[in-house]
Amino acid sequence: MRYDLVIRSRRAVLPDGERPAAVAVRDGRVAAITPYDAPLPASAETRLGDTALLPGLVDTHVHINEPGRTEWEGFATATRAAASGGVTTLVDMPLNSLPPTVTPSALALKRAAAEGALFVDVGFWGGAVPGNRLYLRALHDAGVFGFKCFTSDSGVPEFPPLGAARMREAFQEIASFGGLVIVHAEDPADLRAPSGGSYGEFLASRPPSAERRAVERVIALAAETGVRAHILHLSAADCLDPLARAQADGLPVSAETCPHYLTLCADDVPGPSATSYKCCPPIRDAANRDALWRGLETGVVSCVVTDHSPCVPELKRGDFATAWGGVSSLQLGLPAVWTEARSRGRSLASVVRWMAEGPAALAALPKGRIAVGRDADLVAFDPEADFTVDAASLHHRHPVTPYEGRTLSGVVQATWLRGTRAGDAPIGRPLARTETR
C-alpha cells in the first residue's frame, strides 16, 4: 500500500504514551502507526526528528460571532488563528452572532456564513433560551452538538438566561432525545454590579459562591432529569467538590476550564485599564489556580478549552466596570497551557488529554487522538522553543490579548487537517453531530 503522507517523529504523542513513531496517512485518515524507521512507501514524507507530533487540538468553546457581529471576529480569522495554534477543530458557540443559533433557520444561516471560509473544521452548538423549547429537538436533528444555556445575564439581550422553571423544562426536553446541555453557571443572586472600576472590585462582584450555587443547581437538575450536563469555563475551585461527588455517584456531569484560569491570576492584572484580562467568571487568585490544576490531575475537570470571546477594541476600553468581558487566546492556548504544565511537571501527553482527547470525547468527534481510522489532524510542536507574544502578529481579527509581551514555551511549526497542511487555504469543513457518530 502506498500512503499519501508519512510523518516521522521521535516524540509522537499517542494514546498509549509518547514514543518514536511513523504515522502514515491515506485518504485523510491515519492508516498506520509504525516504528519510527519502518519503511513506508508514500507520496510525501516529513521527518520531524525531536519535534513532537501531537493530534490536532479540539476547542469546543469558541465565539466566532458570524453572522451579525463579524466585526468582532469571523469564520476566516478565527479558523486561521486556530490552525496557527495547532487547533484543527472548533465548535462555535450560539452567541454572540446575530441571530443566535436558537432555531434551525439560524443554524442554516451560520452554515451558509461558514461556507468556503474555514481553515479548520467547525461544528455548532445550539442555544436553549426562553421560548425556544419547541425548536430543541429540531436543532438536535439538524446536527448541533448540544445546547448552551445561561443561568445569569449573557451580556447580549438576544440570548437571555433560563430561570429555574424554564431550565428544568429545557433539561427535560434535551434529556428526552439524549442531548447534551452545556451551562454558563453563575447564580445571579450572588452577582452584583462592581462598586468601581478596579480589578479587585470586579472580582468581588462575581464571587466563587455564585459559581458553586449554580453548579449545584445544574447537578440537582441532572439527577432529576437524567440529562448529560457540562459546566463551562470553570473558574472557582470551590465547585470541584460537588462535581467530584456527582461524578462518583454516576451522574453524567462534566466540566471544563480555560487556559487563562490555569496560567494567569488576579495578581497579574496590572491596573483598571488592563481589560484584556476581563472575563466572566473572572480570573481568581493563585491558590484557586493551583486547585484547578489539581482538579485536572484528578479528572474532575476533563477539558481545557479557550472560551475565545473577542469583540471590537472599542468595547474593551474603559475599566473593569464597563468593558466587555472576554479573553482572546485561540492561537495561544497550547503554548500557554504547556508553559504552565511543564513548570508543574506535567507531560505533553497530559496536555493532549485535556486539550484534544477530552473535548473530542465531549462532542463525540472522531478527532483528538493519533489512532488508526481517525482523521489525520496532526500538529508539529516544538516544546522546547520559546517566543514572546506579539498580539499584532496573531491571526485573530483584533490584536487584544492578556498574553501580550509574555514569554511562552512551545511553538507550533505545522498543522495538518486530514493530512493536508492547514493555514494557507480554507480547507476546513462544517461539521454536524449526525455526521460524526
Side-chain angles (χ1 to χ4, degrees):
M1 178 181 292
R2 187 171 185 82
Y3 299 103
D4 301 323
L5 172 67
V6 169
I7 303 175
R8 302 180 191 271
S9 170
R10 294 189 181 90
R11 297 190 64 180
V13 180
L14 304 173
D16 60 353
E18 182 181 313
R19 58 184 169 84
V23 176
V25 178
R26 195 165 186 264
D27 296 331
R29 295 183 182 271
V30 176
I33 301 170
T34 71
Y36 179 83
D37 288 321
L40 294 166
S43 300
E45 181 170 311
T46 296
R47 288 182 174 265
L48 299 180
D50 292 329
T51 296
L53 181 65
L54 314 182
L57 303 191
V58 178
D59 194 336
T60 52
H61 196 146
V62 179
H63 294 267
I64 294 177
N65 306 328
E66 187 175 3
R69 289 192 175 100
T70 309
E71 70 275 14
W72 290 23
E73 189 58 278
F75 286 109
T77 51
T79 58
R80 191 174 180 205
S84 295
V87 180
T88 52
T89 306
L90 307 178
V91 187
D92 173 53
M93 283 292 163
L95 73 163
N96 301 299
S97 56
L98 290 169
T101 315
V102 296
T103 65
S105 61
L107 176 62
L109 289 173
K110 272 276 190 185
R111 287 182 170 147
E115 194 67 36
L118 304 181
F119 287 78
V120 301
D121 289 350
V122 175
F124 305 94
W125 297 111
V129 297
N132 86 321
R133 182 172 63 87
L134 296 179
Y135 291 116
L136 298 178
R137 185 181 290 269
L139 280 164
H140 178 78
D141 292 344
V144 300
F145 286 83
F147 300 89
K148 182 175 187 177
C149 68
F150 279 75
T151 61
S152 57
D153 179 33
S154 73
V156 291
E158 67 275 2
F159 203 98
L162 292 174
R166 282 179 165 168
M167 181 172 285
R168 178 175 285 104
E169 292 174 354
F171 279 32
Q172 289 170 334
E173 177 68 12
I174 295 165
S176 74
F177 51 75
L180 170 68
V181 62
I182 61 174
V183 186
H184 179 124
E186 289 182 287
D187 192 315
D190 277 12
L191 303 178
R192 63 179 186 274
S195 58
S198 73
Y199 189 74
E201 289 163 314
F202 168 67
L203 185 58
S205 75
R206 306 187 87 96
S209 60
E211 281 191 77
R212 178 155 180 157
R213 286 177 56 163
V215 166
E216 289 173 338
R217 179 178 164 200
V218 171
I219 290 170
L221 281 174
E224 176 186 335
T225 65
V227 78
R228 291 186 297 134
H230 180 74
I231 303 300
L232 298 168
H233 46 48
L234 187 72
S235 156
D238 285 359
C239 300
L240 294 172
D241 283 345
L243 283 166
R245 288 195 297 271
Q247 292 166 0
D249 290 341
L251 291 178
V253 179
S254 57
E256 68 187 36
T257 192
C258 303
H260 41 279
Y261 301 131
L262 296 171
T263 65
L264 306 174
C265 69
D267 289 343
D268 293 329
V269 182
S273 63
T275 56
S276 60
Y277 289 82
K278 182 178 179 180
C279 55
C280 300
I283 297 164
R284 304 190 188 276
D285 62 29
N288 183 88
R289 178 181 60 188
D290 292 343
L292 288 177
W293 277 96
R294 290 193 292 272
L296 276 173
E297 290 158 2
T298 60
V300 176
V301 178
S302 57
C303 305
V304 178
V305 291
T306 62
D307 187 13
H308 179 71
S309 186
C311 64
V312 292
E314 291 77 15
L315 292 179
K316 277 293 191 182
R317 292 176 185 153
D319 58 28
F320 283 94
T322 59
W324 173 262
V327 168
S328 295
S329 62
L330 181 56
Q331 191 171 335
L332 299 171
L334 174 57
V337 172
W338 169 240
T339 300
E340 188 73 17
R342 184 169 68 168
S343 74
R344 294 171 180 268
R346 304 304 295 179
S347 67
L348 273 177
S350 294
V351 173
V352 164
R353 185 170 70 252
W354 301 326
M355 302 189 77
E357 292 181 12
L362 174 71
L365 286 159
K367 309 274 191 178
R369 303 172 73 197
I370 303 176
V372 173
R374 294 251 174 166
D375 287 356
D377 298 349
L378 304 164
V379 179
F381 181 68
D382 184 349
E384 309 303 327
D386 294 336
F387 71 102
T388 300
V389 176
D390 174 12
S393 68
L394 301 176
H395 294 298
H396 309 155
R397 185 173 293 276
H398 301 293
V400 177
T401 179
Y403 294 99
E404 169 72 21
R406 287 178 173 264
T407 298
L408 301 178
S409 295
V411 172
V412 173
Q413 294 185 342
T415 303
W416 292 266
L417 180 65
R418 289 184 298 277
T420 298
R421 283 289 291 265
D424 296 327
I427 61 172
R429 300 174 183 171
L431 302 176
R433 175 192 51 78
T434 50
E435 299 168 348
T436 61
R437 293 282 180 177

